[in-house]
Amino acid sequence: MAALPAILSPSLLAADFARLGEEVRTVLAAGADWIHFDVMDNHYVPNLSIGPMVCEAIKPHAGEALIDVHLMVEPVDALVPQFAKAGAGLISFHPEASRHVHRTLALIREQGCKAGLVLNPATPLSVLDHVEDQLDLVLLMSVNPGFGGQSFIAGTLDKLRAVRLRLDAIQQRSGRAIRLEVDGGVKPDNIAAIAAAGADTFVAGSAIFGKPDYAAVIQQLRQAIAAA
Ligand code: DX5
Ligand code: ZN
């Protein structure tokens, strides 16, 4: 199956919140593709981050780059139109946080955004059943959601391989390529294994924003993906 080009989506959670617009411009100029925007509500996850107003504020700094909104909120639906209006290009959410997953996916697409479903480390792949034709992306969490800077959970590699097989089968059947994103603990020293397991879209927070030279890390990440 022809692999989609690799996408790097730096997580703003690790950026300097006092200079977010500048951080977005700097990381895109350093070679990032998307901007990963982590939304936490102190309800679905035990942490509080940023919302649609901040998304709207960074949008002009992102140019053509897609804003990859990762909703860790419960309930989900009320925030979907707000993020669509604020400039999100893709909205993903956790199925446990929505009473009606099919309806939420439809709502995201009606609002003109790409739709993604996020699987926690313990969420079974069966949540993908019956909604595959509504998905643009599957996001596998390689840490439990809520905090940046955690360690990659090794079992995610097997899970990635299993999702890769499913997505390849869908592509064979329908011609539709669904992206496979991984989020949590992605670093230059494990991204090759993650790519080899089938991911094509990579979130990295502390690995990029924790370093003085974003371009150097991004180049390192890309080289490791290419070598995988
Ligand atoms: C965790 C967030 C991640 C996190 C990634 O709940 O969804 O996007 O910020 O950060 P690192 O790359 O530092 O693990
Ligand atoms: Zn995230």
Side-chain angles (χ1 to χ4, degrees), residues 34 36-39 67-73 76 80 83 88-95 104-105 108 113-119 135 137-141 181 183 203:
W34 293 357
H36 187 78
F37 193 96
D38 285 308
V39 185
I67 302 181
D68 166 26
V69 172
H70 174 192
L71 294 180
M72 290 161 273
V73 304
V76 179
V80 168
F83 272 103
L90 183 147
I91 299 176
S92 55
F93 66 98
H94 292 249
T104 304
L105 288 168
I108 293 171
C113 297
K114 293 183 193 302
L117 216 48
V118 192
L119 278 60
L135 293 178
L137 173 142
V138 173
L139 169 49
L140 288 196
M141 291 306 299
E181 185 171 38
D183 183 6
V203 177

Side-chain angles (χ1 to χ4, degrees), residues 157-173:
L157 293 177
D158 277 340
K159 206 170 174 187
L160 277 169
R161 283 186 271 269
V163 178
R164 181 78 268 157
L165 288 176
R166 278 175 85 120
L167 299 187
D168 284 352
I170 293 168
Q171 192 176 356
Q172 212 125 41
R173 233 180 13 247

Side-chain angles (χ1 to χ4, degrees), residues 9-14 36-40 45 47 70-72 94 118 120 139 141-152 182-187 203-209:
S9 190
S11 165
L12 280 190
L13 199 62
H36 187 78
F37 193 96
D38 285 308
V39 185
M40 303 177 176
V45 290
N47 201 357
H70 174 192
L71 294 180
M72 290 161 273
H94 292 249
V118 192
N120 285 333
L139 169 49
M141 291 306 299
S142 38
V143 297
N144 285 292
F147 302 93
Q150 304 180 78
S151 299
F152 185 87
V182 66
D183 183 6
V186 176
K187 310 275 174 207
V203 177
S206 47
I208 295 175
F209 288 107

